[in-house]
Amino acid sequence: MHTASPPPEALPPLGVLDPNIVSSPRLERKLVRTTGQQPIGSRRRRAALQNSKNIPFEQLPYQCFQEARKLLLADREEKLKQIEEERRRIAKVKAVTATQYGGEYVKKGRIVRMQKHLEKLKILADINDPVIKKRFEDGEGTGDMNRPIYRYLADQEWRKQKRLILMQRINQMHIVPDVLPSLDPTAEVKLAFGRRNVQPGDFVDSTISESPPRLDVQVFDKGERLISIVVLDPDVPNLETDGFDSRCHFFAVNVPISPDSTYVTLSGLLEGTQVLRPWLPPHAQKGSPYHRLAVLIYEQKDGTEVKAGLREKISSTVKGDFRLNRFTRNLQDQPIGVHLFRTIWDDGMAGVMQRAGIEGANIELKRQKPEKLPYKKKDGARYR
Protein backbone atom coordinates (compact mmCIF):
# COMPACT_ATOMS: atom_id res chain seq x y z
CA MET A 1 0.00 0.00 0.00
CA HIS A 2 1.16 3.52 -0.77
CA THR A 3 1.40 5.97 2.08
CA ALA A 4 -0.61 9.10 1.58
CA SER A 5 1.45 12.22 1.04
CA PRO A 6 0.91 15.04 3.52
CA PRO A 7 -1.50 17.75 2.35
CA PRO A 8 0.15 20.75 0.79
CA GLU A 9 0.66 23.76 3.00
CA ALA A 10 -2.13 26.25 2.50
CA LEU A 11 -1.29 29.65 1.09
CA PRO A 12 -1.92 32.65 3.36
CA PRO A 13 -5.13 34.68 2.89
CA LEU A 14 -5.25 37.28 0.14
CA GLY A 15 -5.07 40.19 2.55
CA VAL A 16 -1.72 39.08 3.95
CA LEU A 17 1.33 40.78 2.44
CA ASP A 18 3.01 37.67 1.08
CA PRO A 19 5.64 38.31 -1.66
CA ASN A 20 4.50 35.09 -3.36
CA ILE A 21 0.89 36.14 -4.00
CA VAL A 22 0.53 39.95 -3.91
CA SER A 23 -0.69 40.97 -7.36
CA SER A 24 -2.13 44.49 -7.15
CA PRO A 25 0.16 47.53 -7.52
CA ARG A 26 -1.14 48.99 -4.24
CA LEU A 27 -0.27 45.87 -2.24
CA GLU A 28 3.09 45.56 -3.99
CA ARG A 29 4.01 49.10 -2.92
CA LYS A 30 2.76 48.42 0.61
CA LEU A 31 4.84 45.21 0.77
CA VAL A 32 8.03 47.05 -0.22
CA ARG A 33 7.28 49.96 2.12
CA THR A 34 6.44 47.91 5.23
CA THR A 35 8.69 44.84 4.92
CA GLY A 36 11.39 45.90 2.45
CA GLN A 37 10.74 42.73 0.40
CA GLN A 38 10.25 42.69 -3.36
CA PRO A 39 7.43 40.62 -4.93
CA ILE A 40 8.62 37.25 -6.21
CA GLY A 41 8.22 36.43 -9.88
CA SER A 42 5.83 38.03 -12.34
CA ARG A 43 2.47 39.54 -11.42
CA ARG A 44 0.67 36.95 -13.57
CA ARG A 45 2.39 34.13 -11.68
CA ARG A 46 1.48 35.63 -8.29
CA ALA A 47 -2.16 36.09 -9.34
CA ALA A 48 -2.32 32.45 -10.47
CA LEU A 49 -0.92 31.23 -7.15
CA GLN A 50 -3.74 32.89 -5.24
CA ASN A 51 -6.28 30.29 -6.44
CA SER A 52 -4.01 27.27 -6.93
CA LYS A 53 -3.06 24.41 -4.67
CA ASN A 54 0.38 24.85 -3.18
CA ILE A 55 1.92 21.85 -4.91
CA PRO A 56 5.74 21.72 -5.16
CA PHE A 57 6.91 22.73 -8.60
CA GLU A 58 8.66 19.45 -9.38
CA GLN A 59 5.52 17.47 -8.42
CA LEU A 60 3.08 19.19 -10.77
CA PRO A 61 0.60 16.49 -11.97
CA TYR A 62 1.11 16.96 -15.72
CA GLN A 63 2.16 13.87 -17.61
CA CYS A 64 3.99 15.75 -20.37
CA PHE A 65 5.90 17.79 -17.78
CA GLN A 66 6.95 14.71 -15.82
CA GLU A 67 8.01 12.81 -18.96
CA ALA A 68 10.10 15.80 -20.05
CA ARG A 69 11.75 15.89 -16.62
CA LYS A 70 12.75 12.25 -17.01
CA LEU A 71 14.53 13.07 -20.27
CA LEU A 72 16.25 16.06 -18.70
CA LEU A 73 17.40 14.00 -15.72
CA ALA A 74 18.86 11.36 -18.05
CA ASP A 75 20.71 14.08 -19.97
CA ARG A 76 22.02 15.50 -16.70
CA GLU A 77 23.36 12.09 -15.64
CA GLU A 78 25.24 11.87 -18.92
CA LYS A 79 26.75 15.35 -18.39
CA LEU A 80 27.81 14.40 -14.84
CA LYS A 81 29.70 11.39 -16.24
CA GLN A 82 31.44 13.69 -18.73
CA ILE A 83 32.37 16.05 -15.87
CA GLU A 84 33.99 13.22 -13.91
CA GLU A 85 35.87 12.07 -17.00
CA GLU A 86 37.12 15.60 -17.70
CA ARG A 87 38.33 15.93 -14.10
CA ARG A 88 40.30 12.70 -14.46
CA ARG A 89 41.86 13.99 -17.67
CA ILE A 90 42.86 17.27 -16.00
CA ALA A 91 44.45 15.39 -13.08
CA LYS A 92 46.33 13.18 -15.56
CA VAL A 93 47.73 16.22 -17.41
CA LYS A 94 48.78 17.86 -14.14
CA ALA A 95 50.65 14.71 -13.12
CA VAL A 96 52.82 14.83 -16.27
CA THR A 97 55.99 16.91 -16.02
CA ALA A 98 56.36 20.02 -18.16
CA THR A 99 59.31 18.61 -20.09
CA GLN A 100 57.36 15.49 -21.06
CA TYR A 101 54.43 17.62 -22.21
CA GLY A 102 56.47 19.99 -24.40
CA GLY A 103 57.14 22.84 -22.01
CA GLU A 104 55.47 24.70 -19.15
CA TYR A 105 53.68 27.12 -21.49
CA VAL A 106 52.10 24.30 -23.52
CA LYS A 107 51.06 22.40 -20.40
CA LYS A 108 49.50 25.46 -18.77
CA GLY A 109 47.57 26.35 -21.92
CA ARG A 110 46.22 22.82 -22.18
CA ILE A 111 45.05 22.85 -18.55
CA VAL A 112 43.34 26.23 -19.01
CA ARG A 113 41.42 24.98 -22.08
CA MET A 114 40.36 21.81 -20.27
CA GLN A 115 39.17 23.77 -17.24
CA LYS A 116 37.09 26.05 -19.48
CA HIS A 117 35.51 22.97 -21.05
CA LEU A 118 34.82 21.59 -17.56
CA GLU A 119 33.02 24.80 -16.56
CA LYS A 120 30.96 24.61 -19.75
CA LEU A 121 29.93 21.04 -18.91
CA LYS A 122 28.83 22.15 -15.44
CA ILE A 123 26.56 24.77 -17.02
CA LEU A 124 25.15 22.34 -19.58
CA ALA A 125 24.32 19.86 -16.81
CA ASP A 126 21.87 22.32 -15.20
CA ILE A 127 20.86 24.71 -17.96
CA ASN A 128 17.63 22.82 -18.83
CA ASP A 129 16.53 22.03 -15.28
CA PRO A 130 13.14 23.75 -14.73
CA VAL A 131 13.69 23.86 -10.95
CA ILE A 132 16.96 25.78 -11.47
CA LYS A 133 15.24 28.27 -13.77
CA LYS A 134 12.33 28.70 -11.37
CA ARG A 135 14.66 29.37 -8.43
CA PHE A 136 16.61 31.92 -10.47
CA GLU A 137 13.49 33.73 -11.73
CA ASP A 138 12.12 33.82 -8.16
CA GLY A 139 15.36 35.38 -6.92
CA GLU A 140 16.34 32.36 -4.84
CA GLY A 141 19.35 31.36 -6.95
CA THR A 142 21.15 34.69 -6.77
CA GLY A 143 22.24 33.82 -3.24
CA ASP A 144 24.19 30.79 -4.51
CA MET A 145 26.59 32.44 -6.95
CA ASN A 146 29.26 29.81 -6.28
CA ARG A 147 27.39 27.50 -8.66
CA PRO A 148 28.38 28.00 -12.32
CA ILE A 149 24.79 27.80 -13.59
CA TYR A 150 23.58 30.74 -11.48
CA ARG A 151 26.60 32.84 -12.47
CA TYR A 152 25.86 32.05 -16.12
CA LEU A 153 22.15 32.93 -15.84
CA ALA A 154 22.93 36.16 -13.96
CA ASP A 155 25.49 37.12 -16.62
CA GLN A 156 23.00 36.50 -19.43
CA GLU A 157 20.28 38.50 -17.67
CA TRP A 158 22.69 41.43 -17.09
CA ARG A 159 23.84 41.45 -20.72
CA LYS A 160 20.26 41.32 -22.00
CA GLN A 161 19.33 44.84 -20.82
CA LYS A 162 21.36 46.42 -18.02
CA ARG A 163 24.69 46.21 -19.82
CA LEU A 164 23.15 47.68 -22.96
CA ILE A 165 21.83 50.67 -20.99
CA LEU A 166 25.23 51.11 -19.32
CA MET A 167 27.07 51.11 -22.65
CA GLN A 168 24.54 53.57 -24.07
CA ARG A 169 25.21 56.00 -21.19
CA ILE A 170 28.98 55.55 -21.54
CA ASN A 171 28.92 56.35 -25.26
CA GLN A 172 26.30 59.07 -24.92
CA MET A 173 28.31 60.91 -22.25
CA HIS A 174 31.65 60.30 -24.00
CA ILE A 175 33.34 58.38 -21.20
CA VAL A 176 34.94 56.69 -24.21
CA PRO A 177 37.23 58.29 -25.36
CA ASP A 178 37.44 61.15 -22.82
CA VAL A 179 38.41 58.84 -19.92
CA LEU A 180 39.21 55.50 -21.56
CA PRO A 181 40.17 54.67 -25.16
CA SER A 182 37.88 51.60 -25.15
CA LEU A 183 35.76 49.66 -22.69
CA ASP A 184 34.31 46.14 -22.47
CA PRO A 185 32.86 45.64 -18.95
CA THR A 186 32.47 42.06 -17.72
CA ALA A 187 31.24 42.76 -14.16
CA GLU A 188 28.03 44.43 -13.02
CA VAL A 189 28.56 47.47 -10.79
CA LYS A 190 25.77 49.00 -8.70
CA LEU A 191 26.21 52.24 -6.76
CA ALA A 192 24.17 53.67 -3.89
CA PHE A 193 24.40 56.67 -1.57
CA GLY A 194 22.58 55.60 1.57
CA ARG A 195 19.12 54.50 0.43
CA ARG A 196 19.47 56.22 -2.95
CA ASN A 197 20.25 53.72 -5.72
CA VAL A 198 21.96 55.54 -8.57
CA GLN A 199 21.34 54.54 -12.18
CA PRO A 200 24.14 55.12 -14.74
CA GLY A 201 24.25 58.81 -15.66
CA ASP A 202 21.92 60.06 -12.89
CA PHE A 203 22.33 63.52 -11.39
CA VAL A 204 23.08 63.23 -7.65
CA ASP A 205 22.52 66.12 -5.23
CA SER A 206 25.68 67.45 -3.62
CA THR A 207 24.42 66.82 -0.08
CA ILE A 208 23.74 63.16 -0.94
CA SER A 209 27.11 62.53 -2.59
CA GLU A 210 28.99 64.26 0.26
CA SER A 211 29.39 60.88 2.02
CA PRO A 212 31.15 57.91 0.37
CA PRO A 213 28.87 55.51 -1.51
CA ARG A 214 28.71 51.74 -1.36
CA LEU A 215 29.31 49.48 -4.33
CA ASP A 216 27.95 46.11 -5.37
CA VAL A 217 30.47 44.54 -7.77
CA GLN A 218 29.10 41.28 -9.18
CA VAL A 219 31.62 39.17 -11.10
CA PHE A 220 30.49 36.17 -13.10
CA ASP A 221 33.59 33.95 -13.02
CA LYS A 222 34.68 31.86 -10.05
CA GLY A 223 37.32 32.73 -7.51
CA GLU A 224 38.28 35.56 -5.19
CA ARG A 225 40.29 38.44 -6.58
CA LEU A 226 41.70 41.83 -5.59
CA ILE A 227 40.36 44.96 -7.25
CA SER A 228 41.26 48.64 -7.33
CA ILE A 229 38.58 51.35 -7.27
CA VAL A 230 39.09 54.72 -8.95
CA VAL A 231 36.56 57.58 -8.95
CA LEU A 232 37.52 60.18 -11.54
CA ASP A 233 36.15 63.58 -12.61
CA PRO A 234 37.37 64.50 -16.13
CA ASP A 235 35.49 67.83 -16.27
CA VAL A 236 37.51 70.14 -14.01
CA PRO A 237 37.75 73.59 -15.70
CA ASN A 238 41.27 74.92 -16.30
CA LEU A 239 41.03 78.67 -16.80
CA GLU A 240 44.67 79.05 -17.80
CA THR A 241 44.52 76.63 -20.72
CA ASP A 242 40.81 77.18 -21.44
CA GLY A 243 40.30 73.42 -21.22
CA PHE A 244 39.56 70.65 -18.74
CA ASP A 245 41.69 68.63 -16.32
CA SER A 246 40.99 65.40 -14.45
CA ARG A 247 40.64 65.07 -10.68
CA CYS A 248 40.75 61.92 -8.54
CA HIS A 249 37.94 61.76 -5.96
CA PHE A 250 38.76 58.32 -4.55
CA PHE A 251 41.47 55.69 -4.98
CA ALA A 252 41.59 52.31 -3.22
CA VAL A 253 43.57 49.13 -3.86
CA ASN A 254 43.71 45.57 -2.51
CA VAL A 255 39.92 45.26 -2.12
CA PRO A 256 38.85 41.57 -2.10
CA ILE A 257 35.66 40.46 -3.86
CA SER A 258 34.22 37.15 -5.08
CA PRO A 259 31.00 36.01 -6.79
CA ASP A 260 29.26 35.60 -3.41
CA SER A 261 30.97 38.53 -1.65
CA THR A 262 30.17 41.61 -3.71
CA TYR A 263 29.45 44.54 -1.38
CA VAL A 264 32.13 47.20 -0.87
CA THR A 265 31.53 50.13 1.49
CA LEU A 266 34.07 52.81 0.64
CA SER A 267 33.94 54.29 4.13
CA GLY A 268 34.79 50.89 5.63
CA LEU A 269 38.10 50.39 3.79
CA LEU A 270 41.39 50.74 5.66
CA GLU A 271 43.45 53.92 5.41
CA GLY A 272 46.97 53.42 4.07
CA THR A 273 46.78 49.75 3.12
CA GLN A 274 43.65 50.13 0.97
CA VAL A 275 42.54 53.77 0.73
CA LEU A 276 45.17 55.91 -1.00
CA ARG A 277 42.90 58.87 -1.69
CA PRO A 278 40.01 59.44 0.78
CA TRP A 279 36.59 60.38 -0.55
CA LEU A 280 36.51 63.91 -1.93
CA PRO A 281 32.90 65.11 -2.31
CA PRO A 282 32.00 65.72 -5.97
CA HIS A 283 31.65 69.42 -6.61
CA ALA A 284 31.13 71.83 -9.50
CA GLN A 285 31.53 75.59 -9.45
CA LYS A 286 28.62 77.82 -10.31
CA GLY A 287 28.35 78.36 -14.04
CA SER A 288 30.42 75.33 -15.04
CA PRO A 289 28.86 72.49 -17.07
CA TYR A 290 27.84 69.31 -15.27
CA HIS A 291 30.68 67.09 -14.11
CA ARG A 292 30.83 63.38 -14.96
CA LEU A 293 32.04 61.09 -12.17
CA ALA A 294 33.35 57.79 -13.54
CA VAL A 295 33.65 54.87 -11.10
CA LEU A 296 36.20 52.40 -12.51
CA ILE A 297 36.84 48.89 -11.18
CA TYR A 298 40.20 47.33 -12.11
CA GLU A 299 41.25 43.77 -11.42
CA GLN A 300 44.81 43.58 -10.12
CA LYS A 301 47.18 41.45 -12.16
CA ASP A 302 47.48 37.82 -11.04
CA GLY A 303 45.62 38.65 -7.82
CA THR A 304 48.75 40.23 -6.30
CA GLU A 305 48.65 43.06 -3.79
CA VAL A 306 49.85 46.56 -4.60
CA LYS A 307 53.08 46.90 -2.63
CA ALA A 308 53.81 49.63 -0.07
CA GLY A 309 56.23 51.48 -2.36
CA LEU A 310 53.68 51.87 -5.14
CA ARG A 311 50.97 52.79 -2.63
CA GLU A 312 53.10 55.64 -1.29
CA LYS A 313 53.84 56.82 -4.82
CA ILE A 314 50.16 56.89 -5.72
CA SER A 315 49.20 58.64 -2.47
CA SER A 316 51.67 61.45 -3.12
CA THR A 317 50.59 62.12 -6.69
CA VAL A 318 46.80 61.64 -6.80
CA LYS A 319 46.15 65.27 -5.92
CA GLY A 320 46.06 67.89 -8.65
CA ASP A 321 45.76 67.01 -12.34
CA PHE A 322 45.20 63.23 -12.35
CA ARG A 323 46.31 61.06 -15.27
CA LEU A 324 44.79 57.59 -15.11
CA ASN A 325 47.35 55.78 -17.27
CA ARG A 326 50.15 56.59 -14.81
CA PHE A 327 48.61 54.47 -12.07
CA THR A 328 47.10 51.50 -13.91
CA ARG A 329 50.35 49.79 -14.92
CA ASN A 330 50.00 47.31 -12.06
CA LEU A 331 46.36 46.68 -12.97
CA GLN A 332 44.71 45.09 -15.97
CA ASP A 333 44.73 47.10 -19.19
CA GLN A 334 40.99 47.79 -19.02
CA PRO A 335 38.53 48.00 -16.12
CA ILE A 336 36.25 45.01 -15.57
CA GLY A 337 33.40 47.23 -14.35
CA VAL A 338 32.26 50.84 -14.59
CA HIS A 339 29.56 53.14 -13.28
CA LEU A 340 28.97 56.85 -13.65
CA PHE A 341 26.89 59.67 -12.22
CA ARG A 342 26.79 63.44 -12.65
CA THR A 343 26.88 66.48 -10.41
CA ILE A 344 26.17 70.16 -11.01
CA TRP A 345 25.95 73.33 -8.94
CA ASP A 346 22.91 73.27 -6.65
CA ASP A 347 21.69 74.97 -3.49
CA GLY A 348 23.76 72.77 -1.17
CA MET A 349 27.01 72.85 -3.14
CA ALA A 350 28.49 75.88 -1.30
CA GLY A 351 27.99 74.21 2.08
CA VAL A 352 29.50 70.94 0.85
CA MET A 353 32.58 72.72 -0.48
CA GLN A 354 32.97 74.73 2.74
CA ARG A 355 32.76 71.63 4.96
CA ALA A 356 35.29 69.80 2.77
CA GLY A 357 37.69 72.75 2.73
CA ILE A 358 37.40 73.24 -1.04
CA GLU A 359 37.98 76.72 -2.39
CA GLY A 360 36.07 78.37 -5.20
CA ALA A 361 32.49 78.29 -3.89
CA ASN A 362 32.28 82.09 -4.23
CA ILE A 363 33.44 82.09 -7.86
CA GLU A 364 31.00 82.01 -10.75
CA LEU A 365 32.26 80.88 -14.13
CA LYS A 366 30.92 82.57 -17.24
CA ARG A 367 31.50 81.77 -20.85
CA GLN A 368 33.59 84.31 -22.70
CA LYS A 369 31.57 86.03 -25.37
CA PRO A 370 33.03 85.58 -28.84
CA GLU A 371 34.42 88.68 -30.48
CA LYS A 372 32.24 90.04 -33.24
CA LEU A 373 33.69 90.43 -36.66
CA PRO A 374 34.30 94.08 -37.65
CA TYR A 375 31.28 95.45 -39.43
CA LYS A 376 31.94 96.56 -42.97
CA LYS A 377 29.35 98.76 -44.63
CA LYS A 378 28.58 97.57 -48.09
CA ASP A 379 28.41 99.88 -51.06
CA GLY A 380 24.78 100.79 -51.52
CA ALA A 381 25.22 101.65 -55.21
CA ARG A 382 25.33 97.98 -56.19
CA TYR A 383 21.79 97.44 -54.86
CA ARG A 384 20.22 100.29 -56.88
Side-chain angles (χ1 to χ4, degrees), residues 200-211:
D202 276 359
F203 280 99
V204 180
D205 292 341
S206 59
T207 53
I208 294 177
S209 61
E210 185 176 6
S211 301

Side-chain angles (χ1 to χ4, degrees), residues 119-313:
E119 293 299 315
K120 184 178 180 181
L121 288 175
K122 291 179 182 179
I123 294 172
L124 293 176
D126 294 325
I127 190 63
N128 295 316
D129 190 343
V131 178
I132 293 286
K133 291 189 174 182
K134 175 184 177 298
R135 289 192 63 203
F136 180 78
E137 291 175 359
D138 290 350
E140 300 174 8
T142 54
D144 192 10
M145 294 298 286
N146 284 322
R147 294 188 61 178
I149 182 61
Y150 289 123
R151 293 199 302 268
Y152 174 80
L153 292 175
D155 186 25
Q156 294 299 306
E157 184 181 39
W158 173 62
R159 291 177 180 274
K160 190 181 299 182
Q161 183 180 19
K162 294 181 181 179
R163 189 181 184 276
L164 298 177
I165 295 175
L166 174 65
M167 294 305 297
Q168 181 195 41
R169 299 292 187 271
I170 289 172
N171 294 323
Q172 186 180 30
M173 298 178 190
H174 306 289
I175 298 298
V176 176
D178 290 355
V179 178
L180 297 165
S182 61
L183 184 62
D184 183 23
T186 58
E188 182 181 9
V189 180
K190 298 178 182 178
L191 183 142
F193 289 95
R195 300 178 63 182
R196 164 77 187 277
N197 294 320
V198 180
Q199 299 301 320
D202 276 359
F203 280 99
V204 180
D205 292 341
S206 59
T207 53
I208 294 177
S209 61
E210 185 176 6
S211 301
R214 69 177 186 276
L215 301 177
D216 182 3
V217 184
Q218 180 64 68
V219 292
F220 302 107
D221 52 341
K222 67 176 183 179
E224 185 174 324
R225 73 227 46 209
L226 295 176
I227 62 171
S228 297
I229 304 172
V230 183
V231 181
L232 178 67
D233 179 359
D235 300 322
V236 181
N238 189 328
L239 303 182
E240 297 179 357
T241 62
D242 195 22
F244 293 94
D245 291 337
S246 296
R247 178 172 55 218
C248 180
H249 283 257
F250 185 82
F251 202 122
V253 297
N254 302 334
V255 181
I257 63 166
S258 64
D260 61 340
S261 179
T262 61
Y263 289 100
V264 179
T265 304
L266 301 192
S267 60
L269 300 179
L270 301 177
E271 291 280 348
T273 56
Q274 290 181 315
V275 178
L276 308 183
R277 166 67 163 170
W279 180 256
L280 178 66
H283 54 278
Q285 290 177 299
K286 188 175 183 180
S288 67
Y290 66 76
H291 289 222
R292 300 163 293 172
L293 277 295
V295 182
L296 307 176
I297 309 296
Y298 285 86
E299 182 176 350
Q300 296 172 196
K301 289 182 179 179
D302 302 324
T304 57
E305 291 188 1
V306 177
K307 302 301 182 182
L310 182 58
R311 293 202 301 266
E312 293 176 1
K313 181 181 178 181

Side-chain angles (χ1 to χ4, degrees), residues 18-71:
D18 185 358
N20 290 288
I21 61 171
V22 290
S23 58
S24 67
R26 181 181 63 82
L27 290 178
E28 290 174 1
R29 292 192 297 269
K30 186 177 180 181
L31 172 71
V32 175
R33 185 173 63 253
T34 56
T35 66
Q37 291 180 293
Q38 293 290 337
I40 296 176
S42 65
R43 185 176 294 169
R44 177 183 294 180
R45 171 185 176 276
R46 286 180 264 117
L49 283 176
Q50 292 177 2
N51 300 317
S52 66
K53 299 178 181 178
N54 194 17
I55 301 174
F57 181 74
E58 59 273 12
Q59 298 179 13
L60 290 176
Y62 302 115
Q63 183 178 2
C64 181
F65 176 75
Q66 295 299 336
E67 291 297 326
R69 288 196 73 238
K70 292 179 181 178
L71 293 176

